């Protein structure tokens, strides 16, 4: 089993030589998210597609509501 440092070094080494700092950080973050997701799946910490769709719809509605409120506030301040 490789250490965290070894895994991070491997990911960094696999990046093109002209990769930016931000690109490398994104790759490291993506690897971490994938690892967490796989571990969650292994122990059954998942939700159904239907539950995820409901959550996403709620997020969209709350974002739309917040956007409408901000627009109204801005219009009043003019």
């Amino acid at each position: 089993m490789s250490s965290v440092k070894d895994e991070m070094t491997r990911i960094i080494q696999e990046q093109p030589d002209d990769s930016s700092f931000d690109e490398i950080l994104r790759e490291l973050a993506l690897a971490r998210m994938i690892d967490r997701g796989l571990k969650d799946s292994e122990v059954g910490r998942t939700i159904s597609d239907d539950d995820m769709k409901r959550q996403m719809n709620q997020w969209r509605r709350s974002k739309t509501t917040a956007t409408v409120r901000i627009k109204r506030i801005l219009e009043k301040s003019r």
Side-chain angles (χ1 to χ4, degrees):
M1 176 181 232
S2 66
S3 70
V4 172
K5 187 175 178 181
D6 291 337
E7 183 65 16
M8 291 178 74
T9 301
R10 183 191 62 76
I11 292 167
I12 292 168
Q13 291 296 325
E14 289 177 353
Q15 302 311 302
D17 289 338
D18 63 345
S19 295
S20 71
F21 185 83
D22 289 336
E23 290 168 335
I24 292 171
L25 284 177
R26 277 193 293 271
E27 288 298 318
L28 290 167
L30 177 62
R32 180 69 175 133
M33 287 186 280
I34 291 170
D35 185 52
R36 283 181 175 173
L38 291 172
K39 287 179 181 173
D40 283 344
S41 180
E42 288 171 5
V43 296
R45 276 191 306 253
T46 60
I47 61 174
S48 70
D49 288 345
D50 289 337
D51 287 343
M52 178 52 73
K53 287 176 187 175
R54 275 192 286 281
Q55 285 185 14
M56 290 174 69
N57 286 332
Q58 288 174 345
W59 295 334
R60 284 189 193 116
R61 279 194 299 273
S62 65
K63 179 182 175 192
T64 302
T65 302
T67 302
V68 168
R69 287 183 194 154
I70 291 169
K71 285 181 180 178
R72 287 180 185 161
I73 291 169
L74 292 173
E75 287 172 359
K76 288 180 183 180
S77 66
R78 292 182 188 165

Coordinates of all heavy atoms in Angstrom, one line a residue:
M1 N 0.8 -1.2 0.0 CA 0.0 0.0 0.0 C 0.9 1.2 0.0 O 1.8 1.4 0.8 CB -0.9 0.0 1.2 CG -1.8 1.2 1.4 SD -2.8 1.1 2.8 CE -4.3 1.5 2.1
S2 N 0.6 2.2 -0.9 CA 1.4 3.4 -1.0 C 0.9 4.4 0.0 O -0.3 4.5 0.4 CB 1.4 3.9 -2.4 OG 0.1 4.4 -2.7
S3 N 1.8 5.2 0.4 CA 1.5 6.3 1.4 C 0.8 7.4 0.6 O 0.8 7.5 -0.6 CB 2.7 6.9 2.0 OG 3.5 7.6 1.1
V4 N 0.1 8.3 1.3 CA -0.5 9.5 0.7 C 0.5 10.3 -0.1 O 0.2 10.7 -1.2 CB -1.2 10.3 1.8 CG1 -1.7 11.6 1.2 CG2 -2.3 9.6 2.5
K5 N 1.6 10.5 0.5 CA 2.7 11.3 -0.2 C 3.1 10.6 -1.5 O 3.2 11.3 -2.5 CB 3.9 11.4 0.7 CG 4.9 12.3 0.2 CD 6.0 12.5 1.3 CE 7.1 13.4 0.8 NZ 8.2 13.6 1.8
D6 N 3.2 9.3 -1.5 CA 3.6 8.5 -2.7 C 2.5 8.7 -3.8 O 2.7 8.9 -4.9 CB 3.8 7.1 -2.4 CG 5.0 6.8 -1.6 OD1 5.9 7.6 -1.6 OD2 5.1 5.7 -1.0
E7 N 1.2 8.6 -3.3 CA 0.1 8.7 -4.3 C 0.0 10.1 -4.9 O -0.2 10.3 -6.1 CB -1.2 8.4 -3.6 CG -2.4 8.4 -4.4 CD -2.4 7.4 -5.5 OE1 -1.7 6.4 -5.4 OE2 -3.2 7.5 -6.5
M8 N 0.2 11.1 -4.0 CA 0.2 12.5 -4.5 C 1.4 12.7 -5.5 O 1.2 13.4 -6.6 CB 0.3 13.5 -3.4 CG -1.0 13.5 -2.5 SD -0.8 14.6 -1.1 CE -1.0 16.2 -2.0
T9 N 2.5 12.2 -5.2 CA 3.7 12.3 -6.1 C 3.4 11.7 -7.4 O 3.7 12.2 -8.5 CB 4.9 11.7 -5.4 OG1 5.2 12.4 -4.2 CG2 6.2 11.8 -6.3
R10 N 2.8 10.5 -7.4 CA 2.5 9.8 -8.6 C 1.5 10.6 -9.5 O 1.7 10.8 -10.7 CB 1.8 8.5 -8.3 CG 1.5 7.6 -9.6 CD 0.6 6.4 -9.3 NE -0.7 6.8 -8.7 CZ -1.7 7.3 -9.5 NH1 -1.6 7.5 -10.8 NH2 -2.9 7.6 -8.9
I11 N 0.5 11.2 -8.9 CA -0.5 12.0 -9.6 C 0.2 13.2 -10.2 O 0.0 13.6 -11.4 CB -1.6 12.5 -8.7 CG1 -2.5 11.2 -8.3 CG2 -2.5 13.5 -9.4 CD1 -3.4 11.5 -7.2
I12 N 1.1 13.9 -9.5 CA 1.8 15.1 -10.0 C 2.7 14.7 -11.1 O 2.8 15.4 -12.1 CB 2.6 15.7 -8.8 CG1 1.6 16.4 -7.8 CG2 3.5 16.8 -9.3 CD1 2.2 16.8 -6.5
Q13 N 3.4 13.6 -10.9 CA 4.4 13.1 -12.0 C 3.7 12.8 -13.3 O 4.2 12.9 -14.4 CB 5.2 11.9 -11.5 CG 6.2 12.2 -10.4 CD 7.3 13.2 -10.8 OE1 7.7 13.2 -12.0 NE2 7.7 14.0 -9.9
E14 N 2.4 12.4 -13.2 CA 1.7 12.0 -14.4 C 1.2 13.3 -15.2 O 0.7 13.1 -16.3 CB 0.4 11.2 -14.1 CG 0.8 9.8 -13.6 CD -0.4 8.9 -13.2 OE1 -1.5 9.5 -13.1 OE2 -0.2 7.7 -12.9
Q15 N 1.3 14.4 -14.6 CA 0.8 15.6 -15.3 C 1.8 16.1 -16.3 O 3.0 15.9 -16.1 CB 0.5 16.8 -14.2 CG -0.5 16.4 -13.2 CD -1.8 15.8 -13.8 OE1 -2.4 16.4 -14.6 NE2 -2.1 14.5 -13.4
P16 N 1.3 16.8 -17.4 CA 2.3 17.3 -18.3 C 3.2 18.3 -17.7 O 2.8 19.0 -16.7 CB 1.3 18.0 -19.4 CG 0.0 17.4 -19.2 CD -0.1 17.0 -17.7
D17 N 4.4 18.5 -18.3 CA 5.4 19.4 -17.7 C 4.9 20.9 -17.7 O 5.3 21.6 -16.8 CB 6.7 19.3 -18.5 CG 7.4 18.0 -18.2 OD1 7.1 17.4 -17.2 OD2 8.2 17.6 -19.0
D18 N 4.0 21.2 -18.6 CA 3.5 22.6 -18.7 C 2.3 22.8 -17.9 O 1.6 23.8 -18.0 CB 3.4 23.0 -20.1 CG 2.3 22.2 -20.8 OD1 1.9 21.2 -20.3 OD2 1.9 22.7 -21.9
S19 N 1.9 21.9 -17.0 CA 0.7 22.0 -16.2 C 0.9 23.2 -15.2 O 1.9 23.4 -14.6 CB 0.4 20.8 -15.3 OG 0.1 19.7 -16.2
S20 N -0.2 23.9 -15.0 CA -0.2 25.0 -14.0 C -0.4 24.5 -12.6 O -0.9 23.3 -12.4 CB -1.3 26.1 -14.4 OG -2.6 25.5 -14.1
F21 N -0.1 25.3 -11.7 CA -0.3 25.0 -10.3 C -1.8 24.6 -10.0 O -2.1 23.6 -9.4 CB 0.0 26.2 -9.4 CG 0.0 25.9 -7.9 CD1 1.1 25.3 -7.3 CD2 -1.1 26.3 -7.2 CE1 1.0 25.1 -5.9 CE2 -1.2 26.1 -5.8 CZ -0.1 25.5 -5.2
D22 N -2.7 25.4 -10.6 CA -4.2 25.2 -10.4 C -4.6 23.9 -11.1 O -5.4 23.1 -10.6 CB -5.0 26.3 -11.0 CG -4.9 27.6 -10.2 OD1 -4.6 27.5 -8.9 OD2 -5.1 28.7 -10.7
E23 N -4.0 23.5 -12.2 CA -4.4 22.3 -12.9 C -3.9 21.1 -12.1 O -4.7 20.1 -11.9 CB -3.7 22.2 -14.3 CG -4.3 23.2 -15.3 CD -3.5 23.3 -16.6 OE1 -2.3 23.1 -16.5 OE2 -4.1 23.7 -17.6
I24 N -2.8 21.2 -11.5 CA -2.3 20.1 -10.6 C -3.2 20.0 -9.4 O -3.5 18.8 -9.0 CB -0.8 20.3 -10.3 CG1 0.0 20.1 -11.5 CG2 -0.4 19.3 -9.2 CD1 1.5 20.5 -11.4
L25 N -3.5 21.1 -8.8 CA -4.4 21.0 -7.6 C -5.7 20.4 -8.0 O -6.3 19.6 -7.2 CB -4.6 22.4 -7.0 CG -3.4 23.0 -6.2 CD1 -3.7 24.4 -5.8 CD2 -3.1 22.1 -5.0
R26 N -6.3 20.7 -9.1 CA -7.6 20.2 -9.6 C -7.4 18.6 -9.7 O -8.3 17.9 -9.3 CB -8.0 20.8 -10.9 CG -8.8 22.1 -10.7 CD -9.5 22.5 -11.9 NE -8.6 22.9 -13.0 CZ -8.1 24.1 -13.2 NH1 -8.4 25.0 -12.4 NH2 -7.3 24.3 -14.2
E27 N -6.3 18.2 -10.3 CA -6.1 16.7 -10.4 C -6.0 16.0 -9.0 O -6.6 15.0 -8.8 CB -4.9 16.4 -11.2 CG -5.0 16.7 -12.7 CD -6.1 15.9 -13.4 OE1 -6.2 14.7 -13.1 OE2 -6.9 16.5 -14.2
L28 N -5.3 16.7 -8.1 CA -5.2 16.1 -6.8 C -6.6 16.1 -6.1 O -6.9 15.1 -5.4 CB -4.2 16.9 -5.9 CG -2.7 16.8 -6.4 CD1 -1.9 17.8 -5.7 CD2 -2.2 15.4 -6.0
A29 N -7.3 17.2 -6.2 CA -8.7 17.2 -5.6 C -9.6 16.2 -6.2 O -10.3 15.5 -5.5 CB -9.2 18.6 -5.8
L30 N -9.5 16.0 -7.6 CA -10.4 15.0 -8.2 C -10.0 13.6 -7.8 O -11.0 12.8 -7.5 CB -10.2 15.1 -9.8 CG -10.9 14.1 -10.6 CD1 -12.4 14.3 -10.4 CD2 -10.5 14.2 -12.1
A31 N -8.7 13.3 -7.6 CA -8.4 12.0 -7.1 C -8.9 11.8 -5.7 O -9.4 10.7 -5.4 CB -6.8 11.9 -7.2
R32 N -8.9 12.8 -4.9 CA -9.4 12.7 -3.5 C -10.9 12.5 -3.5 O -11.4 11.6 -2.8 CB -9.0 14.0 -2.7 CG -9.5 14.0 -1.3 CD -8.7 12.9 -0.5 NE -9.1 13.1 0.9 CZ -9.4 12.0 1.6 NH1 -9.3 10.8 1.2 NH2 -9.8 12.2 2.9
M33 N -11.6 13.2 -4.4 CA -13.0 13.0 -4.4 C -13.4 11.7 -4.9 O -14.4 11.0 -4.4 CB -13.7 14.1 -5.3 CG -13.7 15.5 -4.7 SD -14.5 16.7 -5.7 CE -13.3 17.1 -6.9
I34 N -12.7 11.2 -5.9 CA -13.0 9.8 -6.4 C -12.7 8.8 -5.3 O -13.5 7.9 -5.1 CB -12.2 9.5 -7.7 CG1 -12.7 10.4 -8.8 CG2 -12.2 8.0 -8.0 CD1 -11.8 10.4 -10.1
D35 N -11.6 8.9 -4.6 CA -11.3 8.0 -3.6 C -12.4 8.0 -2.5 O -12.8 7.0 -2.0 CB -9.9 8.4 -3.0 CG -9.5 7.4 -1.9 OD1 -9.4 6.2 -2.2 OD2 -9.1 7.8 -0.8
R36 N -12.8 9.2 -2.1 CA -13.9 9.3 -1.1 C -15.1 8.6 -1.6 O -15.8 7.9 -0.8 CB -14.1 10.7 -0.7 CG -13.1 11.4 0.2 CD -13.5 12.8 0.5 NE -12.6 13.4 1.5 CZ -12.6 14.6 1.8 NH1 -13.5 15.5 1.3 NH2 -11.8 15.1 2.7
G37 N -15.5 8.9 -2.8 CA -16.7 8.3 -3.4 C -16.7 6.8 -3.4 O -17.7 6.1 -3.1
L38 N -15.5 6.2 -3.8 CA -15.4 4.8 -3.8 C -15.5 4.2 -2.4 O -16.2 3.2 -2.2 CB -14.1 4.4 -4.5 CG -14.0 4.7 -6.0 CD1 -12.6 4.4 -6.5 CD2 -15.0 3.8 -6.7
K39 N -14.9 4.8 -1.4 CA -15.0 4.4 -0.1 C -16.4 4.5 0.5 O -16.9 3.5 1.1 CB -14.0 5.1 0.8 CG -12.6 4.8 0.6 CD -11.6 5.5 1.5 CE -10.2 5.1 1.2 NZ -9.2 6.0 1.9
D40 N -17.1 5.6 0.2 CA -18.5 5.7 0.5 C -19.3 4.6 -0.1 O -20.2 4.0 0.6 CB -19.1 7.0 0.1 CG -18.6 8.2 1.0 OD1 -18.1 7.9 2.1 OD2 -18.8 9.3 0.6
S41 N -19.1 4.3 -1.3 CA -19.8 3.2 -2.0 C -19.6 1.8 -1.4 O -20.5 1.0 -1.2 CB -19.4 3.2 -3.5 OG -20.1 2.2 -4.2
E42 N -18.3 1.6 -1.0 CA -18.0 0.3 -0.4 C -18.7 0.0 0.9 O -19.0 -1.1 1.2 CB -16.5 0.2 -0.2 CG -15.6 0.1 -1.4 CD -14.1 0.3 -1.2 OE1 -13.7 0.4 0.0 OE2 -13.4 0.3 -2.2
V43 N -19.0 1.1 1.7 CA -19.6 0.9 3.0 C -21.1 1.2 2.9 O -21.8 1.3 3.9 CB -18.9 1.7 4.1 CG1 -17.5 1.3 4.3 CG2 -19.0 3.2 3.8
G44 N -21.6 1.5 1.7 CA -23.1 1.7 1.5 C -23.6 3.1 1.8 O -24.8 3.3 2.0
R45 N -22.7 4.0 1.8 CA -23.1 5.4 2.0 C -23.4 6.0 0.7 O -22.7 6.8 0.1 CB -22.0 6.3 2.7 CG -22.0 6.1 4.2 CD -21.1 7.2 4.8 NE -19.7 7.1 4.3 CZ -18.7 6.6 4.9 NH1 -18.8 6.2 6.1 NH2 -17.5 6.7 4.4
T46 N -24.6 5.6 0.1 CA -25.0 6.1 -1.2 C -26.5 6.5 -1.1 O -27.2 6.1 -0.1 CB -24.8 5.0 -2.3 OG1 -25.6 3.9 -1.9 CG2 -23.4 4.7 -2.4
I47 N -27.0 7.2 -2.1 CA -28.4 7.5 -2.2 C -28.9 7.1 -3.6 O -28.1 6.9 -4.5 CB -28.7 9.0 -1.9 CG1 -28.1 9.9 -2.9 CG2 -28.3 9.4 -0.5 CD1 -28.4 11.3 -2.8
S48 N -30.2 6.9 -3.7 CA -30.7 6.5 -5.0 C -30.7 7.6 -6.0 O -30.6 8.8 -5.6 CB -32.2 6.0 -4.8 OG -33.0 7.1 -4.5
D49 N -30.8 7.3 -7.3 CA -30.9 8.3 -8.3 C -32.0 9.2 -8.1 O -31.9 10.4 -8.3 CB -31.0 7.6 -9.7 CG -29.7 6.9 -10.1 OD1 -28.6 7.2 -9.5 OD2 -29.7 6.1 -11.1
D50 N -33.2 8.6 -7.7 CA -34.4 9.5 -7.5 C -34.1 10.5 -6.3 O -34.5 11.7 -6.5 CB -35.6 8.6 -7.1 CG -36.1 7.8 -8.3 OD1 -35.8 8.3 -9.5 OD2 -36.8 6.8 -8.1
D51 N -33.5 10.1 -5.3 CA -33.2 11.0 -4.2 C -32.2 12.1 -4.6 O -32.4 13.2 -4.3 CB -32.6 10.3 -3.0 CG -33.6 9.4 -2.2 OD1 -34.8 9.7 -2.4 OD2 -33.2 8.6 -1.4
M52 N -31.2 11.7 -5.5 CA -30.3 12.7 -6.0 C -31.0 13.7 -6.9 O -30.7 14.9 -6.8 CB -29.1 12.0 -6.7 CG -28.1 13.0 -7.3 SD -27.5 14.2 -6.1 CE -26.4 13.2 -5.2
K53 N -31.9 13.2 -7.7 CA -32.7 14.1 -8.6 C -33.5 15.1 -7.8 O -33.5 16.3 -8.1 CB -33.6 13.3 -9.5 CG -32.8 12.6 -10.6 CD -33.7 11.7 -11.5 CE -32.9 10.9 -12.4 NZ -33.7 9.9 -13.2
R54 N -34.1 14.6 -6.7 CA -34.9 15.5 -5.8 C -34.0 16.6 -5.2 O -34.3 17.8 -5.2 CB -35.6 14.7 -4.7 CG -36.9 14.1 -5.2 CD -37.7 13.6 -4.0 NE -37.2 12.3 -3.5 CZ -37.4 11.1 -4.0 NH1 -38.1 11.0 -5.1 NH2 -36.9 10.1 -3.5
Q55 N -32.8 16.2 -4.7 CA -31.9 17.1 -4.1 C -31.4 18.2 -5.1 O -31.4 19.3 -4.8 CB -30.7 16.4 -3.5 CG -30.9 15.7 -2.2 CD -29.7 15.1 -1.6 OE1 -28.6 15.4 -2.0 NE2 -29.8 14.2 -0.7
M56 N -31.1 17.7 -6.3 CA -30.7 18.6 -7.4 C -31.8 19.6 -7.7 O -31.5 20.8 -7.9 CB -30.2 17.9 -8.6 CG -28.9 17.1 -8.3 SD -28.4 16.1 -9.7 CE -27.9 17.3 -10.9
N57 N -33.0 19.2 -7.8 CA -34.1 20.1 -8.1 C -34.3 21.1 -7.0 O -34.6 22.2 -7.2 CB -35.4 19.3 -8.3 CG -35.4 18.6 -9.7 OD1 -34.8 19.1 -10.6 ND2 -36.1 17.5 -9.8
Q58 N -34.1 20.7 -5.7 CA -34.2 21.6 -4.6 C -33.1 22.7 -4.7 O -33.4 23.8 -4.5 CB -34.2 20.9 -3.3 CG -35.4 20.1 -3.0 CD -35.2 19.2 -1.7 OE1 -34.1 19.0 -1.2 NE2 -36.3 18.7 -1.2
W59 N -31.9 22.2 -5.0 CA -30.8 23.2 -5.2 C -31.1 24.2 -6.3 O -30.9 25.4 -6.1 CB -29.5 22.5 -5.5 CG -29.0 21.6 -4.4 CD1 -29.3 21.7 -3.0 CD2 -28.2 20.4 -4.5 NE1 -28.7 20.6 -2.3 CE2 -28.0 19.9 -3.2 CE3 -27.6 19.8 -5.6 CZ2 -27.2 18.7 -3.0 CZ3 -26.8 18.7 -5.4 CH2 -26.6 18.1 -4.1
R60 N -31.6 23.7 -7.4 CA -31.9 24.6 -8.5 C -33.0 25.6 -8.1 O -32.9 26.8 -8.4 CB -32.4 23.8 -9.7 CG -31.3 23.1 -10.4 CD -31.8 22.5 -11.8 NE -30.9 21.6 -12.3 CZ -31.1 20.3 -12.5 NH1 -32.2 19.7 -12.2 NH2 -30.1 19.5 -13.0
R61 N -34.0 25.1 -7.4 CA -35.1 26.0 -7.0 C -34.6 27.1 -6.1 O -34.9 28.3 -6.2 CB -36.2 25.2 -6.4 CG -37.2 24.6 -7.4 CD -38.5 24.1 -6.8 NE -38.3 23.1 -5.8 CZ -38.2 21.8 -6.0 NH1 -38.3 21.4 -7.2 NH2 -38.0 21.0 -5.0
S62 N -33.8 26.7 -5.1 CA -33.2 27.6 -4.1 C -32.3 28.6 -4.8 O -32.3 29.8 -4.5 CB -32.5 26.9 -3.0 OG -31.4 26.3 -3.4
K63 N -31.6 28.2 -5.8 CA -30.7 29.1 -6.5 C -31.5 30.1 -7.3 O -31.2 31.3 -7.3 CB -29.8 28.3 -7.5 CG -28.8 29.2 -8.3 CD -28.0 28.4 -9.2 CE -27.2 29.4 -10.1 NZ -26.6 28.7 -11.2
T64 N -32.6 29.6 -8.0 CA -33.4 30.5 -8.8 C -34.1 31.5 -7.9 O -34.2 32.7 -8.2 CB -34.5 29.6 -9.5 OG1 -33.8 28.7 -10.4 CG2 -35.4 30.5 -10.3
T65 N -34.6 31.1 -6.7 CA -35.2 32.0 -5.8 C -34.3 33.0 -5.3 O -34.6 34.2 -5.2 CB -35.8 31.2 -4.5 OG1 -36.7 30.2 -5.0 CG2 -36.5 32.0 -3.6
A66 N -33.0 32.6 -5.0 CA -32.1 33.6 -4.5 C -31.7 34.6 -5.6 O -31.6 35.8 -5.4 CB -30.8 32.9 -4.1
T67 N -31.6 34.2 -6.8 CA -31.3 35.0 -8.0 C -32.4 36.0 -8.2 O -32.2 37.2 -8.4 CB -31.1 34.2 -9.3 OG1 -30.1 33.3 -9.0 CG2 -30.8 35.1 -10.4
V68 N -33.7 35.6 -8.1 CA -34.8 36.5 -8.2 C -34.8 37.6 -7.1 O -35.0 38.8 -7.3 CB -36.2 35.7 -8.2 CG1 -37.4 36.6 -8.0 CG2 -36.3 34.9 -9.4
R69 N -34.5 37.2 -5.9 CA -34.4 38.1 -4.8 C -33.4 39.2 -5.0 O -33.6 40.3 -4.8 CB -34.2 37.4 -3.4 CG -35.3 36.6 -2.9 CD -35.0 36.0 -1.6 NE -36.0 35.0 -1.2 CZ -35.7 33.9 -0.5 NH1 -34.5 33.8 0.1 NH2 -36.6 33.1 -0.2
I70 N -32.2 38.7 -5.4 CA -31.1 39.6 -5.7 C -31.5 40.6 -6.8 O -31.2 41.8 -6.6 CB -29.8 38.9 -6.0 CG1 -29.3 38.1 -4.8 CG2 -28.7 39.8 -6.6 CD1 -28.2 37.1 -5.1
K71 N -32.1 40.2 -7.8 CA -32.5 41.0 -8.9 C -33.5 42.1 -8.4 O -33.4 43.3 -8.8 CB -33.1 40.2 -10.1 CG -32.1 39.5 -10.9 CD -32.8 38.8 -12.0 CE -31.7 38.0 -12.9 NZ -32.3 37.2 -14.0
R72 N -34.5 41.7 -7.6 CA -35.5 42.6 -7.0 C -34.8 43.7 -6.2 O -35.1 44.8 -6.2 CB -36.5 41.9 -6.2 CG -37.5 41.1 -7.1 CD -38.5 40.4 -6.3 NE -39.3 39.5 -7.1 CZ -40.1 38.5 -6.7 NH1 -40.0 38.2 -5.4 NH2 -40.8 37.8 -7.5
I73 N -33.8 43.3 -5.3 CA -33.1 44.2 -4.5 C -32.3 45.2 -5.3 O -32.4 46.4 -5.1 CB -32.2 43.4 -3.5 CG1 -33.0 42.7 -2.5 CG2 -31.2 44.4 -2.8 CD1 -32.2 41.7 -1.7
L74 N -31.7 44.7 -6.4 CA -30.9 45.6 -7.2 C -31.8 46.6 -8.0 O -31.5 47.7 -8.1 CB -30.1 44.8 -8.2 CG -28.9 44.0 -7.7 CD1 -28.3 43.1 -8.7 CD2 -27.9 44.9 -7.0
E75 N -33.0 46.1 -8.4 CA -33.9 47.0 -9.1 C -34.4 48.1 -8.2 O -34.6 49.2 -8.6 CB -35.1 46.2 -9.7 CG -34.7 45.3 -10.9 CD -35.8 44.4 -11.3 OE1 -36.9 44.4 -10.7 OE2 -35.6 43.7 -12.3
K76 N -34.7 47.8 -6.9 CA -35.2 48.7 -6.0 C -34.1 49.8 -5.6 O -34.4 50.9 -5.3 CB -35.6 48.1 -4.7 CG -36.9 47.3 -4.8 CD -37.3 46.6 -3.5 CE -38.5 45.8 -3.6 NZ -38.9 45.2 -2.3
S77 N -32.9 49.4 -5.7 CA -31.8 50.3 -5.3 C -31.5 51.3 -6.5 O -30.7 52.3 -6.2 CB -30.5 49.6 -4.9 OG -30.0 48.9 -6.1
R78 N -32.0 51.1 -7.6 CA -31.8 52.0 -8.8 C -32.5 53.3 -8.7 O -33.5 53.6 -8.2 CB -32.1 51.3 -10.1 CG -31.1 50.2 -10.4 CD -31.4 49.6 -11.7 NE -30.6 48.4 -11.9 CZ -30.8 47.5 -12.8 NH1 -31.8 47.6 -13.6 NH2 -30.0 46.5 -12.9

